[in-house]
């Protein structure tokens, strides 16, 4: 069970988030705070696994709290809950597990809880976060959410379940940097997350893989390595 602190200077926001969290069977005790100081007192007095923090609070902000607890030997997981997208970069620099925008949707909150549980279960390091620009707004996406990457000249397009994002990094560089994270080059134009491959198809001397509903070509040069990795991951070639 995940014991949490909710901190927001607006009482209705605290109550709304507490209501949603209470419906999640993975959540244990919920401690409510309407100021940063009250949130830190709750942290001192209770066993807390995660903090859901509003960024904009008087005196002691959510970011201030995150800076304080980052010095703990075993800090609780931090999820920021805010109406402001502009603070995302600083939030993830403080190793936030997630960044929720108000009004919070139940299914999106459930994903945040999943990430907290994942961190608690295996003690894994924070997943790498990629900075992308979308319409003049800086966004942060987790690398483990990227299903495949497509080369576009000196740029690369990152494809996730939510959408696609263009970054100015050549595919060759990503292939080298992400090899240990489970990404495999299948074609001169494609890098894929091996765990996201749903099926491999071979027909008429051509091979392809199905990734998140997209059929991507596999080059003849890459085919042996792709077969080996899929065999290791128990993904069977299909017709």
């Amino acid at each position: 069970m995940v014991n949490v602190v909710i901190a927001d200077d607006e009482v209705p926001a605290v109550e709304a988030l507490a209501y949603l969290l209470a419906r999640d069977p993975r959540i244990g005790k919920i401690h409510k705070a309407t100021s940063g100081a009250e949130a830190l007192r709750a942290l001192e007095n209770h066993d807390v696994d995660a903090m859901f923090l509003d960024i904009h609070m008087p005196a002691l902000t959510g970011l201030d709290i995150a800076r304080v607890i980052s010095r703990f030997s075993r800090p609780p997981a931090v999820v920021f809950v805010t109406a402001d997208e502009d603070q995302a970069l600083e939030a993830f620099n403080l190793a936030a597990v997630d960044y929720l925008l108000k009004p919070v949707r139940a299914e999106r909150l459930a994903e945040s809880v999943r990430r907290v549980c994942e961190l608690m279960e295996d003690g894994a390091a924070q997943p790498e976060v990629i900075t992308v620009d979308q319409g003049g707004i800086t966004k942060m996406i987790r690398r483990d959410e990227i299903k495949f990457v497509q080369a576009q000249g000196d740029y690369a397009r990152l494809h996730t379940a939510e959408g696609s994002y263009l970054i100015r990094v050549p595919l060759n560089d990503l292939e080298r940097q992400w090899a240990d994270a489970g990404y495999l080059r299948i074609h001169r134009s494609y890098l894929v997350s091996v765990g996201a491959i749903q099926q491999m198809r071979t027909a008429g001397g051509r091979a392809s893989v199905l990734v998140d509903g997209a059929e991507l070509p596999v080059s003849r040069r890459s085919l042996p390595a792709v077969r080996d990795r899929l065999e290791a991951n128990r993904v069977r070639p299909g017709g």
Side-chain angles (χ1 to χ4, degrees):
M1 302 292 282
V2 182
N3 299 322
V4 306
V5 170
I6 302 171
D8 196 310
D9 60 312
E10 297 180 359
V11 175
V14 172
E15 295 299 334
L17 190 57
Y19 172 76
L20 291 176
L21 285 171
R23 297 171 63 187
D24 193 315
R26 296 167 295 185
I27 297 297
K29 294 181 180 178
I30 299 174
H31 307 285
K32 304 173 187 177
T34 54
S35 69
E38 193 175 344
L40 289 178
R41 283 197 295 273
L43 191 59
E44 290 176 359
N45 298 327
H46 304 285
D47 182 19
V48 175
D49 302 303
M51 304 188 79
F52 289 78
L53 304 174
D54 181 31
I55 285 183
H56 298 292
M57 291 186 289
L60 199 62
T61 70
L63 294 173
D64 292 332
I65 295 172
R67 292 188 192 99
V68 170
I69 66 176
S70 69
R71 297 193 290 269
F72 291 7
S73 58
R74 295 187 65 183
V78 171
V79 176
F80 287 108
V81 186
T82 179
D84 184 6
E85 282 193 79
D86 294 341
Q87 302 289 331
L89 182 58
E90 186 172 2
F92 280 106
N93 284 340
L94 289 168
V97 172
D98 210 351
Y99 191 92
L100 295 175
L101 290 176
K102 297 177 181 179
V104 177
R105 294 181 291 113
E107 59 272 21
R108 186 64 184 82
L109 180 61
E111 170 61 16
S112 292
V113 175
R114 186 195 68 78
R115 294 179 182 184
V116 171
C117 291
E118 182 182 82
L119 197 65
M120 290 172 58
E121 286 172 3
D122 55 28
Q126 293 283 359
E128 182 171 330
V129 176
I130 314 300
T131 305
V132 299
D133 183 79
Q134 189 176 48
I137 296 175
T138 299
K139 296 187 67 173
M140 312 297 290
I141 60 173
R142 289 169 41 139
R143 181 172 61 187
D144 58 11
E145 294 176 343
I146 299 169
K147 309 294 186 181
F148 66 94
V149 186
Q150 183 179 8
Q152 293 191 349
D154 290 334
Y155 291 77
R157 183 167 292 279
L158 313 177
H159 292 264
T160 72
E162 299 289 330
S164 66
Y165 311 90
L166 198 64
I167 61 172
R168 193 168 187 173
V169 180
L171 195 64
N172 287 340
D173 289 355
L174 292 181
E175 176 188 9
R176 189 167 53 252
Q177 294 169 16
W178 292 6
D180 292 339
Y183 287 83
L184 179 65
R185 188 73 171 265
I186 63 167
H187 187 274
R188 60 186 175 86
S189 297
Y190 292 99
L191 181 70
V192 303
S193 168
V194 175
I197 296 176
Q198 299 160 307
Q199 188 181 45
M200 179 175 174
R201 297 171 176 170
T202 54
R206 296 177 180 272
S208 63
V209 291
L210 191 65
V211 179
D212 200 34
E215 188 169 0
L216 309 177
V218 177
S219 68
R220 292 189 179 186
R221 180 180 179 181
S222 301
L223 186 56
V226 174
R227 283 186 181 277
D228 288 346
R229 287 293 291 274
L230 295 188
E231 182 65 27
N233 283 40
R234 299 179 183 176
V235 177
R236 305 301 181 188

